[in-house]
Amino acid sequence: MTFPPMESVHSHSEIFWGDIAKDFFWKTKHAGRFLDYNFDVTKGEIFVKCMEGASTNICYNVLDHNVHERKLGDKVAFYWEGNEPGDELTVTYRELLQRVCQFANVLKSQGVKKGDRVSIYMPMVVELVVAMLACVRIGAVHSIVFAGFSAESLCERILDSQCSLLVTADGFYRGDKLINLKLLADEVPWNPEVDLCWHTLVRGASDECEPEWCESEDPLFILYTSGSTGKPKGVLHTLSGYMLYTALTFKLVFDYQPDDVYWCTADIGWITGHSYITYGPLANGATSVLFEGLPTYPDVSRMWEIVDKYHVTKFYTAPTAIRLLMKYGREPVYKRDSLKVLGTVGEPINPEAWQWYYSVVGEKRCPIVDTFWQTETGGHVLTPLPAATPMKPGSATFPFFGVVPAVLNESGEELEGASEGYLVFKQPWPGVMRTVYGNQQRFETTYFKKFPGYYVTGDGCRRDKDGYYWITGRIDDMLNVSGHLLSTAEVESALAEHEAVAEAAVVGRPHPVKGESLYCFVTLTDGVTYSRTLEAELKKQVREKIGAIATPDFIQNAPGLPKTRSGKIMRRVLRKIACDERDLGDISTLADSSVVEHLFQNRCC
Ligand code: AMP
């Protein structure tokens, strides 16, 4: 594949994105290049700047602009479907605008100003979207923490981004389980000295609020993602590029049409919810379903009942959800004639799940868009365009416009044609992250140091003879559990903080629904004996430190861990033990092989 010279790449993207930008409102227009960047650490600081000189407000674009210029005030922005069937709400663009303005005024009355960080820890309710857009309206930066994370994870994120205010909810139901979110959030009861009630504050607030005009590269939000060293990274996204990128990817990847009803089943606490529940759909004036509940509550036909109820046309979910529903066969899947395009995201989709999604859910008439992207990429980077790209089950197919991937070998050489190696990107696109909040050095080290000149995704990939990209999985110490990345280091340190644990090592073991499950090896401190009670305590400890998503599936008592002579834990060997694979490959560096046999004999089944 050959590429045009850099100058012409710039002018192409100028024309292409310049056209897209015309659909939006700009308080001032940009001057100079559309994208300016340095992706090469050897040439200086890494940066990406998009539409410098322009000023806008995303909240204005996704609400006021839709209500006033595009005349979509009475159009439904969200059909909110609660956890209990029958709990529902319809919110139009005009109502959403009013509610956002009210809450923006509340934030201002609490002293929140442009640039301040606001943490949001909420279930999937309309107020979550209201809170995020209210921040954006006044130029504040939201940092949403998934409501499944623990108090400690929330605290770590609040401190890292120095948030001045936390928006949370008293509680909610997930299936039949009550989650006392407020208790989790501060672990103390309501305190009138610091706690304020949303409903009281909003009641007295005006529903008009002048937007704060912000610069293109002003921060929009911070979203934390697991880092391979254990401490989560605050991925920072900025205004204009992210807005254009999520708007265009949404429009093209889901072939958005004005009468569509779109449903993305992700939680807004993850990037998929940010980009493809809030920003992308609203920027297009789309109608979406916002679902609070679970796919299996009150029963396993819930998803398809919702599809039928709202006549959903475009549906976006994760392989883990598909595998979960697949277990119950085709019988619960009914009345989905409205569906037109099916999307998947979060992890490589296995062929069985793909076939089931395609034939049972989509009745072989809906194209599947397998979208590869990351918190860091802001929006889809490898993806088919529905009905336009011939599908290959399990492949995210080709790059989106403006995205230039490459496959590198261990020495950093670009491989041509059919090949396998590291997936990297050669140039930025408007929606790419700008930095790790407060830690530019970590940003550069994580993504740009290994192969200077490239953004390194951390994923391996294969490119076939037809140029299709196939993601082969993470090549760092990250696990993908139910489509969410977890760092093994983070779980290991949560385990090692328990006084009974001297050392812990965590690996992934394939799981039929979650993709990967957490298999933990723990070496206990001298004198401690392993028991079921201790195991339960360790699981609880991880849940409390990180959140329920990180709960270990298996914990094995490991009096010794396989180590190299220099003392490094051999995770490769542990992975084999977890999966009961006896072919260990080269173990010449293993210090004590008797350890391995003992672990095999006592492995958890
Ligand atoms: P996150 O930043 O938490 O959204 O996780 C991003 C990671 O999820 C990527 O680096 C991939 O490992 C994985 N991933 C996301 N979407 C896909 C996909 N369509 N195919 C394969 N892997 C995916």
mmCIF file of all heavy atoms in Angstrom, residues 246-262 276 281 284 286 313-316 338-343 365-369 371 380 383-389 400-401:
data_model
loop_
_atom_site.group_PDB
_atom_site.id
_atom_site.type_symbol
_atom_site.label_atom_id
_atom_site.label_comp_id
_atom_site.label_asym_id
_atom_site.label_seq_id
_atom_site.Cartn_x
_atom_site.Cartn_y
_atom_site.Cartn_z
ATOM 1 N N THR A 246 -16.869 11.630 16.527
ATOM 2 C CA THR A 246 -17.953 10.760 17.003
ATOM 3 C C THR A 246 -19.201 10.978 16.149
ATOM 4 O O THR A 246 -19.932 10.038 15.867
ATOM 5 C CB THR A 246 -18.282 10.994 18.490
ATOM 6 O OG1 THR A 246 -18.517 12.385 18.693
ATOM 7 C CG2 THR A 246 -17.166 10.539 19.387
ATOM 8 N N ALA A 247 -19.424 12.211 15.720
ATOM 9 C CA ALA A 247 -20.606 12.493 14.899
ATOM 10 C C ALA A 247 -20.509 11.740 13.574
ATOM 11 O O ALA A 247 -21.456 11.081 13.143
ATOM 12 C CB ALA A 247 -20.724 13.998 14.644
ATOM 13 N N LEU A 248 -19.345 11.793 12.932
ATOM 14 C CA LEU A 248 -19.230 11.178 11.613
ATOM 15 C C LEU A 248 -19.179 9.646 11.679
ATOM 16 O O LEU A 248 -19.813 8.971 10.868
ATOM 17 C CB LEU A 248 -18.008 11.704 10.867
ATOM 18 C CG LEU A 248 -17.995 11.225 9.415
ATOM 19 C CD1 LEU A 248 -19.069 11.926 8.594
ATOM 20 C CD2 LEU A 248 -16.634 11.417 8.768
ATOM 21 N N THR A 249 -18.454 9.121 12.652
ATOM 22 C CA THR A 249 -18.400 7.656 12.754
ATOM 23 C C THR A 249 -19.801 7.132 13.051
ATOM 24 O O THR A 249 -20.232 6.131 12.468
ATOM 25 C CB THR A 249 -17.391 7.190 13.833
ATOM 26 O OG1 THR A 249 -17.566 7.992 14.997
ATOM 27 C CG2 THR A 249 -15.970 7.284 13.347
ATOM 28 N N PHE A 250 -20.520 7.794 13.948
ATOM 29 C CA PHE A 250 -21.888 7.338 14.246
ATOM 30 C C PHE A 250 -22.725 7.319 12.961
ATOM 31 O O PHE A 250 -23.412 6.347 12.657
ATOM 32 C CB PHE A 250 -22.550 8.239 15.300
ATOM 33 C CG PHE A 250 -23.990 7.886 15.522
ATOM 34 C CD1 PHE A 250 -24.330 6.780 16.275
ATOM 35 C CD2 PHE A 250 -25.009 8.626 14.932
ATOM 36 C CE1 PHE A 250 -25.663 6.406 16.449
ATOM 37 C CE2 PHE A 250 -26.341 8.260 15.097
ATOM 38 C CZ PHE A 250 -26.663 7.145 15.855
ATOM 39 N N LYS A 251 -22.640 8.409 12.229
ATOM 40 C CA LYS A 251 -23.475 8.546 11.037
ATOM 41 C C LYS A 251 -23.172 7.476 9.985
ATOM 42 O O LYS A 251 -24.073 6.852 9.436
ATOM 43 C CB LYS A 251 -23.218 9.944 10.452
ATOM 44 C CG LYS A 251 -24.090 10.306 9.292
ATOM 45 C CD LYS A 251 -23.833 11.753 8.955
ATOM 46 C CE LYS A 251 -24.550 12.152 7.702
ATOM 47 N NZ LYS A 251 -24.354 13.577 7.435
ATOM 48 N N LEU A 252 -21.890 7.252 9.736
ATOM 49 C CA LEU A 252 -21.532 6.332 8.658
ATOM 50 C C LEU A 252 -21.514 4.866 9.081
ATOM 51 O O LEU A 252 -21.931 3.991 8.332
ATOM 52 C CB LEU A 252 -20.177 6.715 8.059
ATOM 53 C CG LEU A 252 -20.081 8.131 7.478
ATOM 54 C CD1 LEU A 252 -18.741 8.327 6.788
ATOM 55 C CD2 LEU A 252 -21.215 8.414 6.499
ATOM 56 N N VAL A 253 -21.019 4.618 10.282
ATOM 57 C CA VAL A 253 -20.873 3.218 10.694
ATOM 58 C C VAL A 253 -22.235 2.575 10.970
ATOM 59 O O VAL A 253 -22.431 1.391 10.744
ATOM 60 C CB VAL A 253 -19.919 3.116 11.909
ATOM 61 C CG1 VAL A 253 -19.904 1.717 12.486
ATOM 62 C CG2 VAL A 253 -18.514 3.551 11.502
ATOM 63 N N PHE A 254 -23.181 3.393 11.439
ATOM 64 C CA PHE A 254 -24.524 2.830 11.653
ATOM 65 C C PHE A 254 -25.474 3.227 10.521
ATOM 66 O O PHE A 254 -26.667 3.029 10.622
ATOM 67 C CB PHE A 254 -25.074 3.273 13.015
ATOM 68 C CG PHE A 254 -24.244 2.749 14.152
ATOM 69 C CD1 PHE A 254 -23.403 3.587 14.875
ATOM 70 C CD2 PHE A 254 -24.268 1.401 14.459
ATOM 71 C CE1 PHE A 254 -22.616 3.086 15.899
ATOM 72 C CE2 PHE A 254 -23.479 0.883 15.474
ATOM 73 C CZ PHE A 254 -22.657 1.731 16.204
ATOM 74 N N ASP A 255 -24.938 3.805 9.490
ATOM 75 C CA ASP A 255 -25.740 4.294 8.371
ATOM 76 C C ASP A 255 -26.970 5.027 8.910
ATOM 77 O O ASP A 255 -28.112 4.710 8.579
ATOM 78 C CB ASP A 255 -26.165 3.109 7.476
ATOM 79 C CG ASP A 255 -26.944 3.600 6.261
ATOM 80 O OD1 ASP A 255 -26.736 4.746 5.855
ATOM 81 O OD2 ASP A 255 -27.784 2.835 5.749
ATOM 82 N N TYR A 256 -26.711 6.020 9.739
ATOM 83 C CA TYR A 256 -27.793 6.702 10.449
ATOM 84 C C TYR A 256 -28.769 7.397 9.490
ATOM 85 O O TYR A 256 -28.354 8.121 8.592
ATOM 86 C CB TYR A 256 -27.207 7.742 11.438
ATOM 87 C CG TYR A 256 -28.285 8.629 11.986
ATOM 88 C CD1 TYR A 256 -29.252 8.095 12.840
ATOM 89 C CD2 TYR A 256 -28.382 9.967 11.617
ATOM 90 C CE1 TYR A 256 -30.296 8.877 13.302
ATOM 91 C CE2 TYR A 256 -29.412 10.750 12.081
ATOM 92 C CZ TYR A 256 -30.371 10.196 12.925
ATOM 93 O OH TYR A 256 -31.402 10.959 13.372
ATOM 94 N N GLN A 257 -30.050 7.154 9.723
ATOM 95 C CA GLN A 257 -31.113 7.826 8.972
ATOM 96 C C GLN A 257 -32.017 8.536 9.985
ATOM 97 O O GLN A 257 -32.203 8.035 11.095
ATOM 98 C CB GLN A 257 -31.945 6.805 8.186
ATOM 99 C CG GLN A 257 -31.141 5.928 7.230
ATOM 100 C CD GLN A 257 -30.479 6.718 6.118
ATOM 101 O OE1 GLN A 257 -31.019 7.719 5.652
ATOM 102 N NE2 GLN A 257 -29.295 6.294 5.692
ATOM 103 N N PRO A 258 -32.609 9.672 9.603
ATOM 104 C CA PRO A 258 -33.349 10.466 10.586
ATOM 105 C C PRO A 258 -34.483 9.727 11.307
ATOM 106 O O PRO A 258 -34.813 10.069 12.429
ATOM 107 C CB PRO A 258 -33.913 11.623 9.751
ATOM 108 C CG PRO A 258 -32.998 11.717 8.573
ATOM 109 C CD PRO A 258 -32.502 10.338 8.302
ATOM 110 N N ASP A 259 -35.070 8.706 10.688
ATOM 111 C CA ASP A 259 -36.162 8.024 11.402
ATOM 112 C C ASP A 259 -35.692 6.776 12.157
ATOM 113 O O ASP A 259 -36.500 5.985 12.646
ATOM 114 C CB ASP A 259 -37.315 7.677 10.441
ATOM 115 C CG ASP A 259 -36.811 6.846 9.258
ATOM 116 O OD1 ASP A 259 -35.576 6.621 9.170
ATOM 117 O OD2 ASP A 259 -37.640 6.419 8.430
ATOM 118 N N ASP A 260 -34.397 6.627 12.312
ATOM 119 C CA ASP A 260 -33.875 5.480 13.058
ATOM 120 C C ASP A 260 -34.189 5.570 14.539
ATOM 121 O O ASP A 260 -34.273 6.668 15.103
ATOM 122 C CB ASP A 260 -32.329 5.449 12.943
ATOM 123 C CG ASP A 260 -31.858 4.688 11.724
ATOM 124 O OD1 ASP A 260 -32.606 3.828 11.246
ATOM 125 O OD2 ASP A 260 -30.731 4.973 11.249
ATOM 126 N N VAL A 261 -34.306 4.404 15.169
ATOM 127 C CA VAL A 261 -34.247 4.332 16.631
ATOM 128 C C VAL A 261 -33.025 3.478 16.922
ATOM 129 O O VAL A 261 -32.944 2.316 16.494
ATOM 130 C CB VAL A 261 -35.512 3.709 17.250
ATOM 131 C CG1 VAL A 261 -35.357 3.593 18.768
ATOM 132 C CG2 VAL A 261 -36.733 4.554 16.916
ATOM 133 N N TYR A 262 -32.104 4.089 17.605
ATOM 134 C CA TYR A 262 -30.807 3.458 17.810
ATOM 135 C C TYR A 262 -30.688 3.026 19.265
ATOM 136 O O TYR A 262 -31.146 3.720 20.171
ATOM 137 C CB TYR A 262 -29.743 4.497 17.423
ATOM 138 C CG TYR A 262 -28.366 4.255 17.942
ATOM 139 C CD1 TYR A 262 -27.499 3.390 17.283
ATOM 140 C CD2 TYR A 262 -27.900 4.918 19.080
ATOM 141 C CE1 TYR A 262 -26.221 3.187 17.759
ATOM 142 C CE2 TYR A 262 -26.619 4.725 19.555
ATOM 143 C CZ TYR A 262 -25.780 3.852 18.890
ATOM 144 O OH TYR A 262 -24.523 3.648 19.367
ATOM 145 N N TYR A 276 -21.000 6.836 21.850
ATOM 146 C CA TYR A 276 -22.094 6.322 21.030
ATOM 147 C C TYR A 276 -23.412 6.148 21.776
ATOM 148 O O TYR A 276 -24.285 5.422 21.335
ATOM 149 C CB TYR A 276 -21.649 5.044 20.301
ATOM 150 C CG TYR A 276 -20.473 5.351 19.386
ATOM 151 C CD1 TYR A 276 -19.208 4.836 19.640
ATOM 152 C CD2 TYR A 276 -20.619 6.238 18.306
ATOM 153 C CE1 TYR A 276 -18.122 5.162 18.830
ATOM 154 C CE2 TYR A 276 -19.544 6.563 17.495
ATOM 155 C CZ TYR A 276 -18.296 6.029 17.751
ATOM 156 O OH TYR A 276 -17.229 6.357 16.958
ATOM 157 N N PRO A 281 -24.666 10.124 18.749
ATOM 158 C CA PRO A 281 -26.090 10.159 18.389
ATOM 159 C C PRO A 281 -26.710 11.552 18.547
ATOM 160 O O PRO A 281 -27.441 12.008 17.655
ATOM 161 C CB PRO A 281 -26.721 9.158 19.363
ATOM 162 C CG PRO A 281 -25.606 8.237 19.748
ATOM 163 C CD PRO A 281 -24.369 9.073 19.727
ATOM 164 N N ASN A 284 -26.065 13.989 15.832
ATOM 165 C CA ASN A 284 -26.817 13.736 14.598
ATOM 166 C C ASN A 284 -28.314 13.950 14.769
ATOM 167 O O ASN A 284 -29.090 13.680 13.854
ATOM 168 C CB ASN A 284 -26.584 12.288 14.142
ATOM 169 C CG ASN A 284 -25.229 12.114 13.474
ATOM 170 O OD1 ASN A 284 -25.076 12.406 12.287
ATOM 171 N ND2 ASN A 284 -24.230 11.697 14.228
ATOM 172 N N ALA A 286 -30.217 12.146 16.666
ATOM 173 C CA ALA A 286 -30.814 10.809 16.637
ATOM 174 C C ALA A 286 -31.703 10.547 17.846
ATOM 175 O O ALA A 286 -31.574 11.202 18.878
ATOM 176 C CB ALA A 286 -29.699 9.760 16.601
ATOM 177 N N THR A 313 -33.903 0.176 15.155
ATOM 178 C CA THR A 313 -33.393 -0.131 13.820
ATOM 179 C C THR A 313 -31.893 -0.444 13.836
ATOM 180 O O THR A 313 -31.410 -1.258 13.063
ATOM 181 C CB THR A 313 -33.643 1.051 12.855
ATOM 182 O OG1 THR A 313 -33.176 2.242 13.488
ATOM 183 C CG2 THR A 313 -35.112 1.194 12.514
ATOM 184 N N LYS A 314 -31.163 0.259 14.698
ATOM 185 C CA LYS A 314 -29.714 0.069 14.754
ATOM 186 C C LYS A 314 -29.369 -0.359 16.182
ATOM 187 O O LYS A 314 -29.783 0.305 17.138
ATOM 188 C CB LYS A 314 -28.973 1.374 14.400
ATOM 189 C CG LYS A 314 -29.496 2.043 13.121
ATOM 190 C CD LYS A 314 -29.052 1.322 11.853
ATOM 191 C CE LYS A 314 -29.858 1.652 10.603
ATOM 192 N NZ LYS A 314 -29.582 2.916 9.963
ATOM 193 N N PHE A 315 -28.655 -1.451 16.294
ATOM 194 C CA PHE A 315 -28.437 -2.063 17.604
ATOM 195 C C PHE A 315 -26.949 -2.327 17.786
ATOM 196 O O PHE A 315 -26.294 -2.898 16.916
ATOM 197 C CB PHE A 315 -29.235 -3.371 17.652
ATOM 198 C CG PHE A 315 -29.117 -4.134 18.933
ATOM 199 C CD1 PHE A 315 -29.709 -3.669 20.098
ATOM 200 C CD2 PHE A 315 -28.438 -5.351 18.978
ATOM 201 C CE1 PHE A 315 -29.617 -4.388 21.294
ATOM 202 C CE2 PHE A 315 -28.338 -6.077 20.169
ATOM 203 C CZ PHE A 315 -28.934 -5.592 21.319
ATOM 204 N N TYR A 316 -26.417 -1.914 18.944
ATOM 205 C CA TYR A 316 -24.964 -1.972 19.161
ATOM 206 C C TYR A 316 -24.696 -2.625 20.506
ATOM 207 O O TYR A 316 -25.153 -2.121 21.543
ATOM 208 C CB TYR A 316 -24.450 -0.529 19.152
ATOM 209 C CG TYR A 316 -22.962 -0.318 19.041
ATOM 210 C CD1 TYR A 316 -22.115 -1.252 18.464
ATOM 211 C CD2 TYR A 316 -22.390 0.881 19.493
ATOM 212 C CE1 TYR A 316 -20.759 -1.005 18.350
ATOM 213 C CE2 TYR A 316 -21.032 1.133 19.381
ATOM 214 C CZ TYR A 316 -20.226 0.183 18.813
ATOM 215 O OH TYR A 316 -18.878 0.419 18.691
ATOM 216 N N SER A 338 -37.720 -4.829 12.859
ATOM 217 C CA SER A 338 -37.293 -3.440 12.684
ATOM 218 C C SER A 338 -35.779 -3.313 12.493
ATOM 219 O O SER A 338 -35.291 -2.332 11.952
ATOM 220 C CB SER A 338 -37.725 -2.615 13.896
ATOM 221 O OG SER A 338 -37.232 -3.200 15.082
ATOM 222 N N LEU A 339 -35.014 -4.325 12.946
ATOM 223 C CA LEU A 339 -33.548 -4.192 12.941
ATOM 224 C C LEU A 339 -32.971 -4.092 11.528
ATOM 225 O O LEU A 339 -33.411 -4.803 10.621
ATOM 226 C CB LEU A 339 -32.908 -5.381 13.667
ATOM 227 C CG LEU A 339 -33.101 -5.422 15.182
ATOM 228 C CD1 LEU A 339 -32.555 -6.726 15.755
ATOM 229 C CD2 LEU A 339 -32.418 -4.234 15.855
ATOM 230 N N LYS A 340 -31.979 -3.201 11.396
ATOM 231 C CA LYS A 340 -31.346 -3.031 10.080
ATOM 232 C C LYS A 340 -29.829 -3.199 10.110
ATOM 233 O O LYS A 340 -29.242 -3.690 9.156
ATOM 234 C CB LYS A 340 -31.667 -1.636 9.527
ATOM 235 C CG LYS A 340 -33.140 -1.482 9.172
ATOM 236 C CD LYS A 340 -33.403 -0.137 8.558
ATOM 237 C CE LYS A 340 -34.852 -0.022 8.125
ATOM 238 N NZ LYS A 340 -35.299 1.365 8.082
ATOM 239 N N VAL A 341 -29.210 -2.703 11.186
ATOM 240 C CA VAL A 341 -27.753 -2.828 11.293
ATOM 241 C C VAL A 341 -27.428 -3.294 12.707
ATOM 242 O O VAL A 341 -28.034 -2.812 13.677
ATOM 243 C CB VAL A 341 -27.037 -1.479 11.020
ATOM 244 C CG1 VAL A 341 -25.537 -1.593 11.283
ATOM 245 C CG2 VAL A 341 -27.273 -1.001 9.587
ATOM 246 N N LEU A 342 -26.489 -4.230 12.822
ATOM 247 C CA LEU A 342 -26.061 -4.715 14.132
ATOM 248 C C LEU A 342 -24.588 -4.364 14.333
ATOM 249 O O LEU A 342 -23.789 -4.571 13.423
ATOM 250 C CB LEU A 342 -26.216 -6.238 14.210
ATOM 251 C CG LEU A 342 -27.617 -6.806 13.924
ATOM 252 C CD1 LEU A 342 -27.565 -8.329 13.902
ATOM 253 C CD2 LEU A 342 -28.610 -6.317 14.974
ATOM 254 N N GLY A 343 -24.287 -3.872 15.531
ATOM 255 C CA GLY A 343 -22.888 -3.512 15.784
ATOM 256 C C GLY A 343 -22.325 -4.323 16.931
ATOM 257 O O GLY A 343 -23.059 -4.813 17.795
ATOM 258 N N ARG A 365 -30.209 -10.683 7.384
ATOM 259 C CA ARG A 365 -30.448 -9.547 6.482
ATOM 260 C C ARG A 365 -29.787 -8.267 7.010
ATOM 261 O O ARG A 365 -29.748 -7.257 6.320
ATOM 262 C CB ARG A 365 -31.950 -9.322 6.252
ATOM 263 C CG ARG A 365 -32.712 -9.163 7.501
ATOM 264 C CD ARG A 365 -34.197 -8.959 7.359
ATOM 265 N NE ARG A 365 -34.724 -8.956 8.705
ATOM 266 C CZ ARG A 365 -34.607 -7.946 9.534
ATOM 267 N NH1 ARG A 365 -34.050 -6.828 9.152
ATOM 268 N NH2 ARG A 365 -35.056 -8.034 10.776
ATOM 269 N N CYS A 366 -29.263 -8.316 8.264
ATOM 270 C CA CYS A 366 -28.641 -7.110 8.828
ATOM 271 C C CYS A 366 -27.121 -7.224 8.777
ATOM 272 O O CYS A 366 -26.556 -8.175 9.326
ATOM 273 C CB CYS A 366 -29.040 -6.933 10.288
ATOM 274 S SG CYS A 366 -30.797 -6.890 10.557
ATOM 275 N N PRO A 367 -26.456 -6.277 8.143
ATOM 276 C CA PRO A 367 -24.991 -6.316 8.193
ATOM 277 C C PRO A 367 -24.500 -6.130 9.625
ATOM 278 O O PRO A 367 -25.140 -5.444 10.421
ATOM 279 C CB PRO A 367 -24.558 -5.124 7.329
ATOM 280 C CG PRO A 367 -25.782 -4.339 7.039
ATOM 281 C CD PRO A 367 -26.986 -5.149 7.387
ATOM 282 N N ILE A 368 -23.364 -6.770 9.922
ATOM 283 C CA ILE A 368 -22.759 -6.586 11.250
ATOM 284 C C ILE A 368 -21.562 -5.659 11.114
ATOM 285 O O ILE A 368 -20.696 -5.888 10.261
ATOM 286 C CB ILE A 368 -22.309 -7.934 11.849
ATOM 287 C CG1 ILE A 368 -23.559 -8.774 12.159
ATOM 288 C CG2 ILE A 368 -21.469 -7.728 13.098
ATOM 289 C CD1 ILE A 368 -23.280 -10.078 12.870
ATOM 290 N N VAL A 369 -21.538 -4.614 11.946
ATOM 291 C CA VAL A 369 -20.352 -3.761 11.959
ATOM 292 C C VAL A 369 -19.537 -4.097 13.206
ATOM 293 O O VAL A 369 -19.961 -3.859 14.323
ATOM 294 C CB VAL A 369 -20.702 -2.241 11.870
ATOM 295 C CG1 VAL A 369 -21.087 -1.880 10.451
ATOM 296 C CG2 VAL A 369 -21.808 -1.816 12.826
ATOM 297 N N THR A 371 -16.745 -3.110 15.258
ATOM 298 C CA THR A 371 -16.009 -1.846 15.398
ATOM 299 C C THR A 371 -14.866 -2.007 16.384
ATOM 300 O O THR A 371 -15.085 -2.251 17.560
ATOM 301 C CB THR A 371 -16.956 -0.737 15.903
ATOM 302 O OG1 THR A 371 -17.479 -1.134 17.181
ATOM 303 C CG2 THR A 371 -18.113 -0.521 14.945
ATOM 304 N N HIS A 380 -14.577 4.891 16.552
ATOM 305 C CA HIS A 380 -14.195 3.726 15.756
ATOM 306 C C HIS A 380 -12.955 4.026 14.907
ATOM 307 O O HIS A 380 -12.907 5.076 14.255
ATOM 308 C CB HIS A 380 -15.324 3.374 14.772
ATOM 309 C CG HIS A 380 -16.659 3.194 15.429
ATOM 310 N ND1 HIS A 380 -17.844 3.610 14.861
ATOM 311 C CD2 HIS A 380 -16.989 2.644 16.615
ATOM 312 C CE1 HIS A 380 -18.849 3.303 15.662
ATOM 313 N NE2 HIS A 380 -18.364 2.727 16.738
ATOM 314 N N THR A 383 -13.295 -0.424 11.132
ATOM 315 C CA THR A 383 -14.711 -0.774 11.103
ATOM 316 C C THR A 383 -15.225 -0.935 9.676
ATOM 317 O O THR A 383 -14.788 -0.214 8.776
ATOM 318 C CB THR A 383 -15.551 0.329 11.802
ATOM 319 O OG1 THR A 383 -16.934 -0.033 11.710
ATOM 320 C CG2 THR A 383 -15.365 1.701 11.194
ATOM 321 N N PRO A 384 -16.145 -1.847 9.500
ATOM 322 C CA PRO A 384 -16.803 -1.898 8.187
ATOM 323 C C PRO A 384 -17.811 -0.759 8.085
ATOM 324 O O PRO A 384 -18.215 -0.195 9.105
ATOM 325 C CB PRO A 384 -17.561 -3.228 8.221
ATOM 326 C CG PRO A 384 -17.364 -3.831 9.566
ATOM 327 C CD PRO A 384 -16.649 -2.865 10.430
ATOM 328 N N LEU A 385 -18.236 -0.447 6.881
ATOM 329 C CA LEU A 385 -19.399 0.425 6.691
ATOM 330 C C LEU A 385 -20.511 -0.510 6.221
ATOM 331 O O LEU A 385 -20.300 -1.318 5.307
ATOM 332 C CB LEU A 385 -19.101 1.517 5.666
ATOM 333 C CG LEU A 385 -17.969 2.456 6.072
ATOM 334 C CD1 LEU A 385 -17.749 3.532 5.018
ATOM 335 C CD2 LEU A 385 -18.232 3.110 7.420
ATOM 336 N N PRO A 386 -21.671 -0.451 6.882
ATOM 337 C CA PRO A 386 -22.681 -1.490 6.671
ATOM 338 C C PRO A 386 -23.120 -1.583 5.220
ATOM 339 O O PRO A 386 -23.401 -0.571 4.581
ATOM 340 C CB PRO A 386 -23.836 -1.063 7.578
ATOM 341 C CG PRO A 386 -23.616 0.371 7.868
ATOM 342 C CD PRO A 386 -22.147 0.620 7.773
ATOM 343 N N ALA A 387 -23.165 -2.801 4.741
ATOM 344 C CA ALA A 387 -23.587 -3.132 3.379
ATOM 345 C C ALA A 387 -22.600 -2.662 2.318
ATOM 346 O O ALA A 387 -22.678 -3.085 1.167
ATOM 347 C CB ALA A 387 -24.985 -2.600 3.063
ATOM 348 N N ALA A 388 -21.654 -1.826 2.692
ATOM 349 C CA ALA A 388 -20.666 -1.363 1.718
ATOM 350 C C ALA A 388 -19.389 -2.202 1.808
ATOM 351 O O ALA A 388 -18.712 -2.436 0.808
ATOM 352 C CB ALA A 388 -20.335 0.107 1.955
ATOM 353 N N THR A 389 -19.053 -2.659 3.005
ATOM 354 C CA THR A 389 -17.836 -3.454 3.171
ATOM 355 C C THR A 389 -18.223 -4.927 3.248
ATOM 356 O O THR A 389 -18.961 -5.308 4.157
ATOM 357 C CB THR A 389 -17.115 -3.071 4.496
ATOM 358 O OG1 THR A 389 -17.063 -1.654 4.596
ATOM 359 C CG2 THR A 389 -15.741 -3.672 4.588
ATOM 360 N N PHE A 400 -11.194 3.450 9.269
ATOM 361 C CA PHE A 400 -12.144 4.523 8.969
ATOM 362 C C PHE A 400 -11.375 5.644 8.260
ATOM 363 O O PHE A 400 -10.148 5.699 8.297
ATOM 364 C CB PHE A 400 -12.768 5.033 10.282
ATOM 365 C CG PHE A 400 -13.925 5.960 10.072
ATOM 366 C CD1 PHE A 400 -15.154 5.477 9.622
ATOM 367 C CD2 PHE A 400 -13.793 7.330 10.296
ATOM 368 C CE1 PHE A 400 -16.222 6.335 9.396
ATOM 369 C CE2 PHE A 400 -14.866 8.188 10.075
ATOM 370 C CZ PHE A 400 -16.076 7.699 9.625
ATOM 371 N N PHE A 401 -12.118 6.557 7.639
ATOM 372 C CA PHE A 401 -11.487 7.662 6.898
ATOM 373 C C PHE A 401 -10.496 8.434 7.770
ATOM 374 O O PHE A 401 -10.832 8.839 8.874
ATOM 375 C CB PHE A 401 -12.558 8.616 6.372
ATOM 376 C CG PHE A 401 -13.558 7.907 5.509
ATOM 377 C CD1 PHE A 401 -14.879 7.776 5.920
ATOM 378 C CD2 PHE A 401 -13.175 7.345 4.307
ATOM 379 C CE1 PHE A 401 -15.796 7.093 5.125
ATOM 380 C CE2 PHE A 401 -14.069 6.665 3.509
ATOM 381 C CZ PHE A 401 -15.398 6.536 3.917
#
